[in-house]
Amino acid sequence: MDALSEGRIRAALTTDIFGRELVYLPSAGSTNDVAKDLATQGAPEGTVVLADVQTAGRGRMRRRWVAPPGTCLLCSILFRPDLPPAQAHRLTMLCSLAAADAVTQVAELPVSLKWPNDLIVQSPIFNLQSPAWRKLAGVLTETGVTGQRLDFVVVGVGINVNVEPDALPALAPDATSILAETGQEVDRAVLLAALLAGVEARYARLRAGESPWVEWATRLATLGQSVAVSTSEGALAGVAEAVDEDGALLLRTPDGLRHRLLAGDVTLALPRRRQ
Ligand code: BTN
């Protein structure tokens, strides 16, 4: 197992800002909660909170985020962007892209994105003949807002790194890990450093006025596909036609209507193979 320590993480970092203020906790409730507390106490942009295990890890839509101790990358990144609250999703896009690239760079594993913010891989591990999309990582963004201003944005990233295949069903029915997909363990300090390098480079471009939206939309496996989406208001099926700059999914249902969805869970099928 790749024992994490503050020294090893600091030695791996190549960034100037992100991760230079680093809070490493062997155990935390939720790294997002720790980062939000630090944000309200004035912690600077670029602060990163990292834990080896979370006792109250949270996912989207009030779900639990389960990760076996010492096997996953569980971190939260603090931003103080000069953006209106409606554009906070740009940071989710930016971190999802950086996480996908970091996994590909460090583990040579191709990663796609699934709306709104899952990292997925085409996985043959449970059925060699018929690969299925499986979830490798998730991103949870939370904001602090005063009036029309974003005080802070905390983006939490959870990547299943060195989780053994037989431990995956306890995480989620469709979960996978880098170890399960590649057969190789990855050093989480190196993966974190690659993630933060990708975040820092993309954030500089965002600050220069370039939205990560085009790159994000290009990496979405969802677009152009027939999908089922479960939302808090019920289930919808249709074609995922596009995403807009605020991260909403534009879904065309068979009755011809176009729905603009801001949150939900997409079920995506791989195209069937010809026999
Ligand atoms: C999801 O796919 O539902 C989002 C999962 C986000 C999990 C990460 S792990 C680090 C950070 N702390 C949390 O409690 N959640 C995020």
Side-chain angles (χ1 to χ4, degrees):
M1 199 193 285
D2 64 332
L4 280 179
S5 70
E6 202 171 317
R8 286 190 59 245
I9 298 163
R10 285 192 188 284
L13 288 181
T14 59
T15 40
D16 291 328
I17 300 166
F18 285 85
R20 290 296 158 192
E21 198 70 48
L22 178 73
V23 178
Y24 167 62
L25 301 166
S27 175
S30 155
T31 56
N32 266 33
D33 288 343
V34 177
K36 286 193 294 179
D37 281 350
L38 291 171
T40 55
Q41 290 162 31
E45 176 159 83
T47 299
V48 171
V49 179
L50 178 77
D52 228 9
V53 64
Q54 294 185 123
T55 52
R58 281 185 284 112
R60 290 189 311 110
M61 302 169 96
R62 296 166 182 255
R63 296 196 189 104
R64 289 178 64 215
W65 184 259
V66 180
T71 63
C72 294
L73 189 63
L74 306 166
C75 67
S76 299
I77 306 167
L78 172 61
F79 297 88
R80 294 193 183 276
D82 188 12
L83 292 174
Q87 291 181 10
H89 196 76
R90 291 181 187 195
L91 297 164
T92 318
M93 297 176 188
L94 179 160
C95 289
S96 305
L97 288 162
D101 279 357
V103 170
T104 304
Q105 193 184 315
V106 173
E108 295 180 18
L109 178 64
V111 178
S112 295
L113 304 180
K114 188 179 82 162
W115 183 87
N117 32 21
D118 291 349
L119 275 66
I120 55 172
V121 296
Q122 283 191 27
S123 169
I125 57 171
F126 292 107
N127 188 338
L128 269 176
Q129 304 308 317
S130 174
W133 288 114
R134 301 189 77 85
K135 179 164 169 172
L136 183 74
V139 176
L140 177 69
T141 299
E142 297 179 287
T143 56
V145 178
T146 307
Q148 291 306 305
R149 255 196 77 246
L150 273 175
D151 284 335
F152 63 82
V153 178
V154 165
V155 183
V157 180
I159 306 179
N160 302 331
V161 183
N162 300 321
V163 185
E164 296 285 351
D166 59 5
L168 290 171
L171 273 56
D174 64 342
T176 194
S177 69
I178 295 176
L179 175 62
E181 296 298 328
T182 65
Q184 304 288 326
E185 288 211 349
V186 158
D187 183 332
R188 288 173 295 157
V190 172
L191 185 62
L192 175 69
L195 165 67
L196 296 179
V199 167
E200 189 157 290
R202 284 184 174 82
Y203 192 54
R205 298 205 289 270
L206 178 71
R207 285 168 60 101
E210 188 185 316
S211 164
W213 170 64
V214 174
E215 188 189 2
W216 180 71
T218 311
R219 293 282 283 272
L220 283 175
T222 330
L223 291 193
Q225 307 283 321
S226 291
V227 297
V229 190
S230 67
T231 74
S232 52
E233 275 117 57
L236 285 171
V239 175
E241 284 191 338
V243 280
D244 70 20
E245 289 226 43
D246 294 333
L249 177 69
L250 307 177
L251 182 83
R252 180 83 61 185
T253 45
D255 56 10
L257 291 177
R258 206 183 204 204
H259 302 257
R260 183 172 184 272
L261 305 176
L262 280 162
D265 275 322
V266 167
T267 308
L268 185 64
L270 277 174
R272 280 187 191 281
R273 283 194 178 161
R274 292 234 175 103
Q275 295 298 321

